[in-house]
Structure formats: C-alpha cells, structure tokens
Amino acid sequence: MAWFKRFIDPIILPDGRELLTLRDAAEYITALPKAEHDEADWQVAMETLLLVAERNGPEMLARIAMMRALNRHVEPVLAPCQKPAKAYTIIKAHRI
C-alpha cells in the first residue's frame, strides 16, 4: 500500500494546515464529525483515496476528489466574457 504517496501539490485546508500525503487526507476525513463524514462528497473522496493507495491510481484523482469535498458549498463563479460574440448572418447562395 502506498499511503505515504505525496500529492503533487499539497492540499491546503481552510484552517491553513496542509495535507501532504494520502495518509494525511485519510486521517483528515476520519477525524470529521460523523454527519459530515457520511456526506456523499466525503465518501467519494475516501473511496478515491483507497483506489489510489491500494490500486496505484493517479494521485491527481485523489486530489480532485478531496478538493471537491472541501469546496462542496462554494458556488462556482464564471468569469465574465471579455468581448461580445460576433453575430454572423447566414446567406444562402442562389443557384442559377
């Protein structure tokens, strides 16, 4: 098992701590209150950690699952479009 496999970039928690390894992430999830631990996003994150550690999956997959679980209440903000889209008129050619 590769529980000491490091994330490419550490996961920074809201309180400023960092999760450096898969083991750190698993310990963080297991220390959550039961109601939060049982939420679907955290269950997916834990299953992904197991997949990566025990089946040699890509670390980025575990990182994505952890980030989704940590940011589950954050609404995505779309950047405003810098310039308006061009409008084109379709002209049908007449056959002669």
Side-chain angles (χ1 to χ4, degrees):
M1 286 196 248
W3 284 102
F4 291 102
K5 208 184 261 190
R6 295 178 68 90
F7 290 110
I8 295 169
D9 293 319
I11 296 172
I12 300 179
L13 299 174
D15 62 5
R17 291 181 295 154
E18 293 182 350
L19 302 177
L20 301 174
T21 65
L22 298 177
R23 183 181 179 94
D24 294 342
E27 288 174 351
Y28 178 78
I29 294 173
T30 56
L32 291 172
K34 181 159 177 51
E36 193 172 356
H37 178 273
D38 290 341
E39 288 184 16
D41 289 328
W42 287 113
Q43 291 297 310
V44 168
M46 194 63 194
E47 289 174 15
T48 307
L49 286 170
L50 286 166
L51 173 75
V52 172
E54 295 180 357
R55 304 275 185 196
N56 201 25
E59 296 92 14
M60 187 57 72
L61 189 63
R63 179 178 170 72
I64 291 169
M66 285 296 296
M67 295 303 292
R68 286 188 62 142
L70 284 168
N71 297 314
R72 67 194 176 285
H73 297 300
V74 177
E75 291 293 322
V77 178
L78 300 175
C81 189
Q82 295 297 324
K83 45 185 188 175
K86 294 182 181 180
Y88 293 97
T89 304
I90 298 175
I91 302 172
K92 292 185 177 182
H94 293 281
R95 293 188 183 177
I96 301 179

